[in-house]
Amino acid sequence: MNLMIDMLKALILGVVEGITEWLPISSTGHMILVEEFVKLNVTPEFMEMFRVVIQLGAILAVCILYFHKLNPFAPSKSAKQKKDTMTLWFKVIIGCLPAAVIGLAFDDTLDAIFYNPQTVAATLIIYGVLFIIVENHNKGKRPSTRKLSELTYKTAFLIGLFQVLALIPGTSRSGATIIGAMILGTSRFVATEFSFFLSIPVMFGASLLKVLKFGFSYTSAEIIILVTGMLVAFIVSIIAIKFLIGYLKKNDFKAFGIYRIVLGIIVAAYFLLIK
């Protein structure tokens, strides 16, 4: 009975992760709030590992959806297309360097200092306001970078610097990179897709480090919980990514900015006034 309840909780957490990892609304902010009401009957160490595993499920969704676009060895691609794909990967690697270097050095320290409701509430609101400001500033302006192939190595690196901001919980990795890319002159689609691609090595690397840290010794019940959360996060991520791409065809990011501000206020109110 307890296992069934924990599987249901894992399903709920997987849904939350799958939606919030790709929409620029902070998966951490949502997980902190949801975990107040949906608590797995596990140790803190296992819970940390669970968060990593469901993130892995989310990142696999990007790999599947964009497999052809990211595969430099696809037989159907011309020599030029294969070269362009390799170039895209080089830009992704360049963009990942800042977060990789700073994350390896300070990730645990930053989590220890900033992984709390107050920080999450503040970053939710701050970046929500930034989304609205950036969209208003860019309104009516033609982006200088409208295709991924037009993205320069310099811009890729600068977007990577914005990704470093996501080491502060509540910022949202996708939110920070999308805002940064748009400030640097990319279109919403380029900003969003490049944000997706940057997540692949960053999140795989983070997942690997956590797995090595916690090892592979789990009970059968724990494995079932991990697999449940991962599969749900994978399926929901596919839906969320397709929704976001479709949404951006007719809309901007202001609604997400407003949502972040409202959620930030809710998080602050709950933890400061109620809890």
Side-chain angles (χ1 to χ4, degrees):
M1 186 64 174
N2 287 338
L3 177 58
M4 290 298 294
I5 292 174
D6 277 340
M7 285 178 65
L8 178 60
K9 291 177 179 178
L11 185 150
I12 294 170
L13 293 171
V15 169
V16 173
E17 169 64 24
I19 294 173
T20 60
E21 186 63 51
W22 305 113
L23 305 187
I25 52 179
S26 174
S27 60
T28 302
H30 285 79
M31 293 299 280
I32 279 182
L33 193 58
V34 172
E35 285 177 18
E36 281 294 304
F37 306 97
V38 182
K39 295 180 182 291
L40 287 173
N41 186 31
V42 297
T43 64
E45 291 76 19
F46 179 84
M47 192 63 212
E48 188 174 349
M49 185 63 199
F50 176 81
R51 296 189 193 104
V52 171
V53 169
I54 59 175
Q55 276 191 334
L56 189 58
I59 197 63
L60 286 173
V62 171
C63 296
I64 295 298
L65 284 173
Y66 289 95
F67 181 77
H68 179 73
K69 190 167 190 174
L70 294 172
N71 181 11
F73 308 108
S76 60
K77 288 184 176 180
S78 65
K80 182 181 184 305
Q81 288 174 324
K82 291 177 180 179
K83 181 180 178 182
D84 289 343
T85 304
M86 286 301 298
T87 300
L88 174 60
W89 271 111
F90 290 140
K91 291 174 184 176
V92 167
I93 292 170
I94 291 295
C96 288
L97 288 178
V101 172
I102 297 175
L104 283 172
F106 301 106
D107 190 30
D108 289 340
T109 303
L110 290 172
D111 264 357
I113 297 172
F114 295 113
Y115 195 89
N116 57 69
Q118 294 81 9
T119 299
V120 170
T123 50
L124 279 168
I125 294 170
I126 290 168
Y127 285 90
V129 172
L130 280 175
F131 262 118
I132 295 171
I133 291 173
V134 170
E135 284 289 8
N136 286 337
H137 180 267
N138 288 349
K139 189 174 182 179
K141 294 183 179 179
R142 186 182 178 87
S144 58
T145 305
R146 288 170 292 159
K147 296 179 182 178
L148 277 171
S149 58
E150 297 172 353
L151 194 72
T152 65
Y153 283 99
K154 178 183 177 182
T155 302
F157 180 77
L158 292 174
I159 293 172
L161 291 177
F162 278 93
Q163 185 171 230
V164 173
L165 297 172
L167 293 172
I168 306 296
T171 298
S172 169
R173 189 201 52 76
S174 61
T177 51
I178 288 171
I179 286 177
M182 289 174 63
I183 289 174
L184 294 168
T186 74
S187 69
R188 294 186 192 95
F189 278 104
V190 170
T192 302
E193 285 202 334
F194 194 65
S195 169
F196 291 163
F197 303 156
L198 279 179
S199 71
I200 296 174
V202 168
M203 290 173 65
F204 266 125
S207 298
L208 178 61
L209 288 175
K210 293 291 186 182
V211 168
L212 293 175
K213 177 181 177 181
F214 293 110
F216 300 90
S217 179
Y218 299 106
T219 65
S220 58
E222 288 175 334
I223 292 172
I224 290 171
I225 292 170
L226 289 173
V227 172
T228 299
M230 183 176 176
L231 284 176
V232 172
F234 170 76
I235 293 168
V236 175
S237 288
I238 289 178
I239 297 169
I241 292 168
K242 288 185 175 181
F243 162 78
L244 182 59
I245 295 301
Y247 176 87
L248 292 178
K249 291 178 180 178
K250 296 182 179 180
N251 304 278
D252 58 24
F253 283 106
K254 284 184 184 178
F256 294 109
I258 295 169
Y259 177 85
R260 288 181 65 106
I261 294 169
V262 172
L263 180 65
I265 293 171
I266 291 172
V267 170
Y270 175 76
F271 284 98
L272 296 177
L273 302 178
I274 299 175
K275 187 169 172 62

